[in-house]
Amino acid sequence: MSTLEKRQAADLPRYAKIRQMNRGGYDRTVAYDILDAGLVAHCGFIHEDRPMVIPMAYARIDDRIYIHGASTTRIIKSNAEGVPASLTVTLVDGLVVARSAFHHSMNYRCAIVHGTARLVESEQEQIEALAAITDHLLPGRWDECREMMPKEHKATGVLVMDIDHVSTKVRTGGPVDDKEDLGTDIWAGVVPVVTALGQPLSAPDVPAETPVPASVPAARRKFA
Amino acid sequence: MSTLEKRQAADLPRYAKIRQMNRGGYDRTVAYDILDAGLVAHCGFIHEDRPMVIPMAYARIDDRIYIHGASTTRIIKSNAEGVPASLTVTLVDGLVVARSAFHHSMNYRCAIVHGTARLVESEQEQIEALAAITDHLLPGRWDECREMMPKEHKATGVLVMDIDHVSTKVRTGGPVDDKEDLGTDIWAGVVPVVTALGQPLSAPDVPAETPVPASVPAARRKFA
């Protein structure tokens, strides 16, 4: 049993007593924990009057979120000048199986950020952002790599979004069935969803004696 | 090693020869495979001139996507009348670790759907949609539950989105480093991201003799 499965198992009796487990909130500590634990963010912006949702690597520094892409891509170009943007990070923790279809649900933690995206102009801020994005997934990786070259900086667009507003939604615990449905022979419970990093696979052109760097086990611990 | 890890390990030498592995496309077969394999969708819509991105349970039937929520929620009410909407499903397969920070990437499969969302009015279509959403996560679960009650139908809003346009983006394989960076002592490779369902946890009020239903192992096989 993984840590997450153990935690969910421990939570079940505790939450069985609570009828309402969808908790919306505006606590930045909760939101930032979710943001810091995600693999990808889903970024929302408006393009030609239509909503667009794009998965992106990202990182948080203080009250700012950074995302990046090739300088030439639409998401970078169309958000450069300061436009309303949003970004959602969702961690799926379990399938909630109830006696009735109606009470089926998911356990998840979600942070929804609203802000204004704009292109990062300062080279120093760009470097800090790219280091944070790299280290968000692979803690310490930035310092393991060779230094970035000027042409690489030029080819990369970084957007910053000040976190003007953030909300969270968290559901935990077991199913909340109607009283009339208890005592039937229909099973109910939670099926945990486990996301983890597997064993690293070396690229074929990496010499066999090259050690796996510290950032890889650090990432495996972070996303365990 | 999981099936996914094995597949990624097998892919590495194959993809090492290919320089460009970010494949954008418009193939509905590829898109529908991604849509059918996701746990949650991130739905994008415009609310008061701002983009909103909300995680939702969903299902596909033919060329339509269904999502649902309480009849009273904003996403249901503000999309009822036929407004532009989008929906993105992303499957994260691995962290791509390169010699340079610049060439770090992720392996992922993503389907981006555009369409017009509108409220489902027909009761028959609502039932089919709710069955599909339930069975998307837990194959066969709809038939294991008691029948839905009229008040539950009334409390549930279902939106349908015709898939007017869908695009996919898929990245697979190992890092694509610059030639000058090969032969250094910096490690490179892929760290697989594995999402799976754990052992089911019974709710405390389920009698010990109640068997775990077929939908649970079916879900564990589907999301293995």
Side-chain angles (χ1 to χ4, degrees), chain A residues 42 53 88 90 98 141 190 194 196, chain B residues 42 53 88 90 98 141 194 196 201:
Chain A
H42 281 83
V53 181
T88 296
T90 307
R141 182 62 182 165
V190 170
V194 184
Chain B
H42 281 82
V53 181
T88 297
T90 307
R141 183 61 182 164
V194 184
L201 308 163

Side-chain angles (χ1 to χ4, degrees), chain A residues 40-61:
Chain A
V40 293
H42 281 83
C43 300
F45 61 102
I46 299 172
H47 181 76
E48 293 174 359
D49 299 325
R50 293 198 67 95
M52 296 285 300
V53 181
I54 309 280
M56 302 284 284
Y58 70 99
R60 180 183 69 84
I61 300 178

Side-chain angles (χ1 to χ4, degrees), chain A residues 5 42 50-51 53 86 88 90 98-99 104 114-115 141 146 181 187-190 192 194-199 201-203, chain B residues 5 42 50-51 53 86 88 90 98 104 114-115 141 146 181 187-190 192 194-199 201-203 205:
Chain A
E5 288 177 274
H42 281 83
R50 293 198 67 95
V53 181
S86 73
T88 296
T90 307
R99 276 89 166 176
H104 276 66
H114 285 279
R141 182 62 182 165
R146 67 152 170 78
D181 290 329
W187 186 85
V190 170
V194 184
T195 301
L197 303 188
Q199 290 290 343
L201 308 164
S202 299
Chain B
E5 287 178 273
H42 281 82
R50 294 196 66 95
V53 181
S86 72
T88 297
T90 307
H104 276 65
H114 285 278
R141 183 61 182 164
R146 68 152 168 79
D181 290 329
W187 185 84
V190 170
V194 184
T195 301
L197 303 188
Q199 290 290 342
L201 308 163
S202 297
D205 46 16

Side-chain angles (χ1 to χ4, degrees), chain B residues 80-210:
Chain B
E81 314 252 332
V83 296
S86 72
L87 175 147
T88 297
V89 171
T90 307
L91 312 170
V92 179
D93 293 329
L95 313 183
V96 180
V97 186
R99 277 87 168 179
S100 59
F102 184 73
H103 284 300
H104 276 65
S105 186
M106 294 182 93
N107 283 339
Y108 68 103
R109 290 163 286 156
C110 165
I112 301 174
V113 173
H114 285 278
T116 303
R118 64 176 196 281
L119 195 68
V120 169
E121 309 277 3
S122 135
E123 195 187 309
Q124 186 53 36
E125 188 179 2
Q126 200 206 46
I127 292 171
E128 282 168 17
L130 294 172
I133 293 169
T134 306
D135 288 352
H136 174 84
L137 290 173
L138 293 153
R141 183 61 182 164
W142 183 261
D143 289 334
E144 293 170 355
C145 295
R146 68 152 168 79
E147 232 173 289
M148 255 183 110
M149 292 186 287
K151 67 169 181 185
E152 294 174 335
H153 281 291
K154 199 173 272 181
T156 306
V158 174
L159 298 180
V160 58
M161 195 164 100
D162 290 308
I163 304 177
D164 294 336
H165 181 269
V166 63
S167 61
T168 57
K169 205 159 174 204
V170 176
R171 191 200 188 282
T172 53
V176 181
D177 275 304
D178 293 333
K179 267 196 193 127
E180 308 82 70
D181 290 329
L182 302 180
T184 64
D185 59 353
I186 303 177
W187 185 84
V190 170
V191 187
V193 175
V194 184
T195 301
L197 303 188
Q199 290 290 342
L201 308 163
S202 297
D205 46 16
V206 169
E209 66 274 17
T210 308

Side-chain angles (χ1 to χ4, degrees), chain A residues 11-24 96 103 105-108 169-177 190:
Chain A
D11 272 357
L12 268 186
R14 182 153 69 91
Y15 285 103
K17 294 172 199 149
I18 306 169
R19 294 292 296 173
Q20 174 54 270
M21 291 166 299
N22 285 289
R23 303 224 172 273
V96 180
H103 284 301
S105 186
M106 293 182 93
N107 282 339
Y108 68 102
K169 203 156 177 207
V170 175
R171 192 201 188 283
T172 53
V176 181
D177 274 303
V190 170

Side-chain angles (χ1 to χ4, degrees), chain A:
Chain A
M1 232 189 217
S2 74
T3 316
L4 182 81
E5 288 177 274
K6 279 186 203 144
R7 200 173 63 215
Q8 298 215 12
D11 272 357
L12 268 186
R14 182 153 69 91
Y15 285 103
K17 294 172 199 149
I18 306 169
R19 294 292 296 173
Q20 174 54 270
M21 291 166 299
N22 285 289
R23 303 224 172 273
Y26 301 94
D27 184 328
R28 289 214 172 206
T29 312
V30 176
Y32 289 1
D33 281 350
I34 295 167
L35 293 173
D36 293 350
L39 288 165
V40 293
H42 281 83
C43 300
F45 61 102
I46 299 172
H47 181 76
E48 293 174 359
D49 299 325
R50 293 198 67 95
M52 296 285 300
V53 181
I54 309 280
M56 302 284 284
Y58 70 99
R60 180 183 69 84
I61 300 178
D62 301 330
D63 295 323
R64 302 184 301 283
I65 298 269
Y66 291 95
I67 60 174
H68 75 316
S71 315
T72 50
T73 48
R74 182 160 69 185
I75 193 165
I76 300 300
K77 287 197 294 188
S78 64
N79 287 287
E81 314 252 330
V83 295
S86 73
L87 175 146
T88 296
V89 171
T90 307
L91 312 170
V92 178
D93 293 330
L95 312 184
V96 180
V97 186
R99 276 89 166 176
S100 58
F102 185 73
H103 284 301
H104 276 66
S105 186
M106 293 182 93
N107 282 339
Y108 68 102
R109 291 162 284 157
C110 165
I112 300 175
V113 173
H114 285 279
T116 303
R118 63 176 195 283
L119 194 69
V120 169
E121 308 276 3
S122 133
E123 194 185 309
Q124 186 54 36
E125 188 179 3
Q126 199 206 48
I127 292 170
E128 282 168 17
L130 293 173
I133 294 169
T134 306
D135 287 352
H136 174 85
L137 289 174
L138 293 152
R141 182 62 182 165
W142 183 260
D143 289 335
E144 294 170 354
C145 295
R146 67 152 170 78
E147 230 172 290
M148 253 182 111
M149 292 185 288
K151 67 170 180 184
E152 293 174 336
H153 281 292
K154 198 172 276 183
T156 306
V158 174
L159 298 181
V160 59
M161 195 164 100
D162 290 309
I163 303 177
D164 293 337
H165 181 269
V166 64
S167 61
T168 57
K169 203 156 177 207
V170 175
R171 192 201 188 283
T172 53
V176 181
D177 274 303
D178 292 335
K179 266 195 194 126
E180 308 84 67
D181 290 329
L182 302 179
T184 64
D185 60 354
I186 302 178
W187 186 85
V190 170
V191 186
V193 175
V194 184
T195 301
L197 303 188
Q199 290 290 343
L201 308 164
S202 299
D205 47 14
V206 169
E209 66 274 16
T210 308
V212 171
S215 60
V216 171
R220 297 189 71 201
R221 283 192 300 275
K222 175 174 176 178
F223 296 104

